[in-house]
Amino acid sequence: MKGRPNIHKDNELVLRAQKVFWEKGFTATSLADLSLVTGAGAGSLYNTFKGGKKELFKKSLQQRREEFEKFKDLLEKSQHPIVLIKDFFLDIANAENESHRKGCIVANTLVEMTFVDEELEEEAILILKETEKLYTSVIRLEQKKGNLYSTIPAKVLGKYLITFWCGINSLRRMYPDRKVLREQIDLQLQILE
């Protein structure tokens, strides 16, 4: 009799694989890389993830979406969601150099998969658009409450924050210096006054 799947163990495999995907990207990550980092042989990986490397990569992106959902819950419960958004961006400056070099797996996927894999490209676009929608709704609500004085339409500011996110993930590779990043992030966030 076949045992029940071990969801916790599968999640651990996804997180380990995600680390390699995040550093190398989908295309450059080999099955040998995934076997090495997860400790599972190719057969075990394919038994667990029937879609192989691509399914494992999609689950890595899904894990980022789950982190986004946690952030969304925090924003929805917060009395000061704009402060949380600003802190989210400002925390980037304090990250370790390894984080700066990796950037954002979702933004990286969008760049890597354009003209390569439409399904993975669309998955990355969807996550970024969901984030944009969240920012837009928070901004709109805070403008109505009088907590955000900018008269720039919320939908424009939501797109701006996604543009800023994608840009800062390139800038942090160029200038992994906390002071430089803090100055640039502070400058960009002035739009949310």
Side-chain angles (χ1 to χ4, degrees):
M1 183 166 92
K2 192 174 183 180
R4 290 174 35 193
N6 187 333
I7 301 300
H8 180 70
K9 186 176 179 185
D10 291 353
N11 287 342
E12 286 179 26
L13 289 176
V14 169
L15 289 173
R16 289 180 189 165
Q18 183 187 73
K19 184 178 185 315
V20 177
F21 285 133
W22 208 326
E23 291 170 358
K24 294 181 131 187
F26 176 76
T27 307
T29 299
S30 68
L31 192 55
D33 293 328
L34 294 171
S35 291
L36 180 66
V37 75
T38 62
S44 294
L45 284 173
Y46 279 107
N47 282 335
T48 305
F49 304 100
K50 302 294 185 206
K53 180 174 121 172
K54 187 170 180 176
E55 181 185 343
L56 191 51
F57 187 79
K58 286 169 70 175
K59 288 191 179 291
S60 294
L61 290 178
Q62 180 60 37
Q63 190 278 333
R64 299 315 303 155
R65 179 179 269 125
E66 290 166 12
E67 289 300 311
F68 162 75
E69 289 297 325
K70 291 177 188 175
F71 184 59
K72 181 179 179 181
D73 288 342
L74 283 175
L75 287 177
E76 289 172 351
K77 293 174 184 171
S78 175
Q79 296 295 315
H80 307 285
I82 298 296
V83 171
L84 284 181
I85 290 171
K86 287 181 175 183
D87 287 346
F88 171 76
F89 281 98
L90 289 167
D91 282 346
I92 292 170
N94 298 322
E96 298 299 322
N97 278 350
E98 180 182 343
S99 292
H100 292 314
R101 291 178 62 215
K102 289 182 354 184
C104 168
I105 193 171
V106 178
N108 294 350
T109 300
L110 177 58
V111 172
E112 179 187 8
M113 292 294 111
T114 301
F115 303 116
V116 175
D117 187 302
E118 188 175 335
E119 183 183 0
L120 292 177
E121 176 191 14
E122 286 299 320
E123 186 68 24
I125 288 170
L126 182 62
I127 294 169
L128 291 170
K129 284 187 174 181
E130 287 171 357
T131 307
E132 175 192 328
K133 183 178 175 183
L134 173 64
Y135 288 152
T136 300
S137 65
V138 168
I139 290 166
R140 184 175 292 121
L141 185 60
E142 291 303 296
Q143 284 175 326
K144 285 180 183 175
K145 290 180 178 178
N147 296 333
L148 185 61
Y149 303 112
S150 174
T151 58
I152 299 170
K155 66 181 183 177
V156 174
L157 287 173
K159 281 183 179 55
Y160 169 80
L161 288 176
I162 294 301
T163 302
F164 175 41
W165 174 251
C166 292
I168 200 68
N169 278 290
S170 292
L171 186 71
R172 67 197 294 204
R173 289 176 167 125
M174 294 169 55
Y175 299 105
D177 177 270
R178 289 179 177 170
K179 183 174 185 270
V180 171
L181 288 170
R182 178 72 188 219
E183 287 171 349
Q184 292 302 308
I185 293 168
D186 278 334
L187 175 65
Q188 299 298 318
L189 291 177
Q190 286 178 20
I191 201 163
L192 293 181
E193 296 298 328

